[in-house]
Amino acid sequence: MERKITKKDTYPVMFKEYPDVVDVEQMSEMIGISTKTAYKLLRENKIQHFKIGRTYKIPKLNILLYINVV
């Protein structure tokens, strides 16, 4: 019997080469968009994030939620 892969199974394997918290450049690589578009998504709060000073930090889980994988 074949085991069905669920969304929660994808977290450990998708983007495993990236750290759990990424910057804007890494996020744009992950989802294949320009950094300009990435900043726009963050400013519009389409992807949950936090800032340290002027630097955006994005938990990998929030990127997966945005692309509807988790």
Side-chain angles (χ1 to χ4, degrees):
M1 181 179 259
E2 189 173 316
R3 181 176 168 263
K4 184 178 177 186
I5 296 175
T6 64
K7 287 185 176 186
K8 72 177 184 173
D9 295 328
T10 60
Y11 181 78
V13 295
M14 280 195 74
F15 307 127
K16 66 181 177 183
E17 64 276 9
Y18 291 95
D20 287 337
V21 178
V22 299
D23 60 25
V24 176
E25 288 77 20
Q26 291 168 317
M27 181 185 87
S28 63
E29 289 173 14
M30 291 166 78
I31 56 179
I33 59 174
S34 69
T35 54
K36 183 177 179 178
T37 301
Y39 279 111
K40 182 178 181 200
L41 289 172
L42 295 173
R43 281 193 308 272
E44 294 174 351
N45 289 316
K46 303 271 175 131
I47 299 176
Q48 291 185 358
H49 62 280
F50 59 94
K51 286 176 81 174
I52 299 176
R54 292 173 29 175
T55 305
Y56 286 96
K57 295 294 183 180
I58 309 98
K60 183 166 56 174
L61 178 60
N62 292 346
I63 297 168
L64 293 169
L65 289 169
Y66 175 75
I67 61 174
N68 201 23
V69 174
V70 177

